[in-house]
Amino acid sequence: IVASLGNVPDEPTAALMRVFYTELAEGVTKDEALRRAQLALLNGTSVGGPSRAMGGLVPSDQEPIRDAGFAWAAMQLIGDWR
């Protein structure tokens, strides 16, 4: 389960989950997929380049998400993280 520690806006949550599930689909462990998704939003970059499933890109207009660390940093894995 991926859950937030509080209320977070829909837009950054959706962006994080797109990258998270793309990573999972490619066989990355849950904890690493979440880490990569959080870093992608922090850096405003793609994860793995444009050949990824679903584009694999964090939209270039994500500056507010990167600056709003409370939105993506609050996400935690609960349960079996492997």
Side-chain angles (χ1 to χ4, degrees), residues 28-76:
V28 174
T29 61
K30 295 172 211 165
D31 59 329
E32 180 64 15
L34 181 58
R35 185 185 80 81
R36 289 182 185 186
Q38 289 172 323
L39 287 173
L41 294 181
L42 172 66
N43 297 323
T45 60
S46 67
V47 176
S51 64
R52 307 284 289 213
M54 296 183 286
L57 299 173
V58 176
S60 61
D61 62 348
Q62 297 301 329
E63 290 289 328
I65 292 174
R66 183 185 68 214
D67 295 339
F70 68 89
W72 52 262
M75 297 299 186
Q76 302 290 312

Side-chain angles (χ1 to χ4, degrees), residues 2 4 8 10 16 40 47 49-50 52 63-65 70 73-74 77-79:
V2 176
S4 70
V8 293
D10 290 340
L16 180 127
V47 176
R52 307 284 289 213
E63 290 289 328
I65 292 174
F70 68 89
L77 282 172
I78 300 170

